[in-house]
Amino acid sequence: MLRLDTRSDDFARKFDRVVNDRRESDADIAQTVRDILARVKARGDEAVADYTARFDRYTFARDEDWVITPETCKAAFDALDPKLREALELAADRIRAYHEAQLPADRDYTDDAGVRLGAKWSAVDAAGLYVPGGRAAYPSSLLMNAIPAKVAGVERLVITTPTPKGEVNTLVLAAAHLAGVSEIWRVGGAQAIGALAYGTDRIKPVDVITGPGNAWVAEAKRQLYGVVGIDMVAGPSEILVIADGQNDPDWIAADLLSQAEHDPSSQSILITDDHTFAERVEDRVDVQCAMLSTSTVARKSWDDNGVIIKVQSLDEAPALANRLAAEHVELAVDNPDALFAQLRHAGSVFLGRYTPEAVGDYVAGPNHVLPTGRRARFSSGLSVLDFMKRTSFIALDENSIGKIGPAAVALAEVEGLPAHANSVKVRLK
Amino acid sequence: MLRLDTRSDDFARKFDRVVNDRRESDADIAQTVRDILARVKARGDEAVADYTARFDRYTFARDEDWVITPETCKAAFDALDPKLREALELAADRIRAYHEAQLPADRDYTDDAGVRLGAKWSAVDAAGLYVPGGRAAYPSSLLMNAIPAKVAGVERLVITTPTPKGEVNTLVLAAAHLAGVSEIWRVGGAQAIGALAYGTDRIKPVDVITGPGNAWVAEAKRQLYGVVGIDMVAGPSEILVIADGQNDPDWIAADLLSQAEHDPSSQSILITDDHTFAERVEDRVDVQCAMLSTSTVARKSWDDNGVIIKVQSLDEAPALANRLAAEHVELAVDNPDALFAQLRHAGSVFLGRYTPEAVGDYVAGPNHVLPTGRRARFSSGLSVLDFMKRTSFIALDENSIGKIGPAAVALAEVEGLPAHANSVKVRLK
């Protein structure tokens, strides 16, 4: 864990290092992924079956081995403990409500020159959702990906998920039922992304691919960006907690650990103006961490990537937060709006002392798929817009082309595009 | 030029081939671009200067050789022919008006559970606009890229453009003045994209890179997607004209040629229900093409990639158009709205007989940077949103956390994330 103080002479240099530290494995998997994608493109299902046997030790002996049926998902949902089922339903309802309010409005108007202009939004035809296997398979992630697609109006929602040695995660299947997903393929890794993008005999291609995955999945999505739409390039995640000394150190320690327990490469950063409070939080992190079943991961994340930044005043915090452009930012103060107004770059912000980041992971409603690794400088969390696209439109008539057409002719001619000019000229007068 | 008829037995197969034909050069430039980017990242300005000397035969002898000053741009603008200046100003005003109406609204509301939720939009800090050198340097493209960024509120707008042997395009400089861009670097190619993404001693990094470029520039943007935001992966462009027999064949021929003259890889497609009309258009294409200064390019594009599809009824057209998902779609009929309502996948649509696509290239207002190569299935034209991002926010209080917190605890526990659960539990009761 790194301790910084804005009064130190070398603060700027050390803070720069925190900002620029990528925490990302630079293993050269790009070539492996290129090979997998090329083979899936050329050989289709045969390649998918080969890779699944090799990487997941799962063999497609019969047709029905390829899929998980809606009936299986419904059975998983019906078998849920009632309390858990209610929790999932509450989450789904709140996520749906937040994303429904996000739906964009079409535009259609006629301006002063008599030109009709506008934009019409439509959903993509098909979306593929990647769901990781093993411990990173979260029902909450399924809801966060599938519900915005459904709200956008996507007709075909496809899940691909690895089932190593045939094992399935029943919670994820229950969430798939709740979200209304009915097409699930037992395929994972880069081969699943290739199948979704290019299509195979069995798996029809999709238009957009979202969802978390390991480094191979992420690289496959990156390589196929442009062939299909993707949600984002994801990296290790992070939390920045900005807290004054009036917080309960146990609460803030819990928040820092909730990020740290995700992955050893996760990062938790505390900015505070109270030195004694900082020390107390540090102590509470140690005490709480020892009691967690995830303590090994959380400990390593905090030791390797944790940072506590002591500032003279919280007025210094927004500038530092904008440099960090963190995925999650908590403002644990009495009047968070003053600080929030100065935040320009953040994935999601949690206002006040009673808003731990974890409520955003599950039940608050906004999407928990958020830009990581400083990408909040230029990108946004997942939304219905990721499953929609906009078609602009223009309508002129005999009068309005007379008003704006001559300018188009002048510009086309000077750009050396005579056929452009001609297509307007023939309609003038 | 390919003639298809939906009544033919082999129509489906031949149409599939049109849909899936990529028309993109598959030259393996990826490795060259990787090398250039790696060198720019490692060596900065030195690498940029080397590549500029090698590829553009332009040497940075003094500091002032690196840039084009705002004064130079203003002089270029002042020297414009008044008619051309008015045309540029009309274009800029109309583009600005359309994009201002596109600005997204923030959200901030409190729901039934007492949870405050919302989303706040902010502009990126800095955007880089690539402007090609030579004949593909269009002042209209500069306006279409720079004005949405300005409207979004981007504070720093940077242009990079190659100036082969020192040559500049004064029209582009005039447009830069009009758009209010004040930072212009005489750097092009993949090295310019690398400098914008990574930053060098001279060129500060940007957050988003947009603008057209050759295959190296496009590949560099694709490779750096995730390090920065980019507008899109661009390919050869296309027009689809859906026209009944009541059109003047000369008008439709002009529209087809306006796309064909861009590039030999451009594609112009006509769908019509009138066989005689189709033949007349074909004749007029030949006659008009011969008179164009761009006839060599237009001829090759039409011969290699042009398609005329004869349908029994225009009712068949929307389904074909949705498969093609073309960049530009003209609906040259009396009542275009009925067809338009069935179009789901198109970059921009031009309604009625008096709306040639070229008005959209210059003066209509909507952006002319549009998804090509069937990417309208999942992506949209350039907009202010490409220069902005959304931060979601959540605020709970002592009451509302009691309502939704327990569900978060239940889900965190079942997902095996005890610190997540704990961060909520400590705040309950």
Side-chain angles (χ1 to χ4, degrees), chain A residues 61 79 135 142 184-185 321 423 427:
Chain A
R135 55 170 293 219
L142 194 150
I184 306 182
W185 298 91
S423 71
R427 289 169 167 96

Side-chain angles (χ1 to χ4, degrees), chain A residues 122-127 154 156 196-199 204-208 224-229 385-391, chain B residues 19-20 22 24 238 320-327 344-347 370-381:
Chain A
S122 340
V124 301
D125 286 338
V154 177
R156 179 171 162 249
L196 288 171
Y198 296 125
K204 288 203 180 71
V206 302
D207 303 302
V208 168
L224 289 169
Y225 169 67
V227 176
V228 291
L385 297 184
D386 290 293
F387 300 98
M388 304 183 80
K389 66 269 174 4
R390 200 182 49 241
T391 298
Chain B
V19 167
N20 295 318
R22 290 260 64 89
E24 285 168 37
E238 65 262 336
L320 301 176
N322 286 331
R323 287 287 309 285
L324 290 164
E327 182 187 13
R344 295 174 46 75
H345 309 308
L370 295 164
T372 56
R374 295 188 68 229
R375 295 187 186 88
R377 288 173 297 131
F378 57 82
S379 63
S380 313

Side-chain angles (χ1 to χ4, degrees), chain A residues 34 83-84 87-88 90-91 94 98 101-102 107 109 111 113 115-120 122-125 138-140 171 207-208 222-223 225-230 232-233 251 254-255 257-258 261-262 288 292-294 330 337 340-341 343-351 353-356 358-364 366 375-383 385 389-398 401 404 407-408 410-412 414-420 422-424 426-427, chain B residues 34 83-84 87-88 90-91 94 98 101-102 107 109 111 113 115-120 122-125 138-140 171 207-208 222-223 225-230 232-233 251 254-255 257-258 261-262 288 292-294 330 337 340-341 343-351 353-356 358-364 366 375-383 385 389-398 401 404 407-408 410-412 414-420 422-424 426-427:
Chain A
R34 261 193 295 277
K83 191 181 135 203
L84 195 55
L88 266 184
L90 178 77
R94 294 188 56 86
Y98 184 84
Q102 217 171 41
R107 298 162 60 202
Y109 63 99
D111 71 11
V115 179
R116 182 175 161 206
L117 296 170
K120 176 170 91 162
S122 340
V124 301
D125 286 338
Y138 298 136
S140 59
L171 281 168
D207 303 302
V208 168
R222 208 188 61 77
Q223 289 187 17
Y225 169 67
V227 176
V228 291
I230 67 171
M232 61 184 66
V233 175
W251 295 15
D255 299 351
L257 285 168
S258 76
E261 74 176 339
H262 268 300
Q288 288 184 27
L292 294 173
S293 59
T294 51
E330 285 186 13
D337 279 342
F340 183 42
L343 283 191
R344 295 175 44 77
H345 308 309
S348 192
V349 178
F350 302 84
L351 301 166
R353 306 192 195 279
Y354 279 90
T355 316
V359 295
D361 284 337
Y362 296 110
V363 293
R375 294 187 187 88
R377 287 174 297 131
F378 56 82
S379 63
S380 312
L382 194 70
S383 78
L385 297 184
K389 66 269 174 4
R390 200 182 49 241
T391 298
S392 58
F393 59 89
I394 304 166
L396 302 185
D397 58 20
E398 225 174 324
I401 196 169
I404 69 170
L411 291 167
V414 78
E415 287 191 354
L417 296 171
H420 282 65
N422 194 42
S423 71
V424 179
V426 293
R427 289 169 167 96
Chain B
R34 261 194 293 278
K83 192 182 134 204
L84 194 56
L88 266 184
L90 178 76
R94 294 188 56 88
Y98 185 85
Q102 216 172 39
R107 299 163 56 201
Y109 63 100
D111 71 11
V115 179
R116 182 177 160 204
L117 297 170
K120 176 170 90 163
S122 340
V124 302
D125 286 339
Y138 298 136
S140 59
L171 281 168
D207 303 302
V208 168
R222 209 188 60 78
Q223 288 188 18
Y225 169 68
V227 176
V228 290
I230 68 171
M232 61 184 66
V233 175
W251 295 16
D255 298 352
L257 285 168
S258 76
E261 74 175 340
H262 267 302
Q288 287 185 27
L292 295 174
S293 60
T294 51
E330 284 186 12
D337 279 343
F340 184 41
L343 283 191
R344 295 174 46 75
H345 309 308
S348 192
V349 178
F350 303 82
L351 302 167
R353 306 192 195 279
Y354 280 91
T355 317
V359 296
D361 284 337
Y362 295 110
V363 293
R375 295 187 186 88
R377 288 173 297 131
F378 57 82
S379 63
S380 313
L382 194 70
S383 78
L385 298 184
K389 65 268 173 6
R390 198 183 51 241
T391 299
S392 58
F393 59 87
I394 303 166
L396 303 183
D397 58 21
E398 225 174 325
I401 197 169
I404 69 170
L411 291 167
V414 78
E415 288 190 354
L417 296 170
H420 282 65
N422 194 42
S423 72
V424 179
V426 293
R427 288 168 168 97

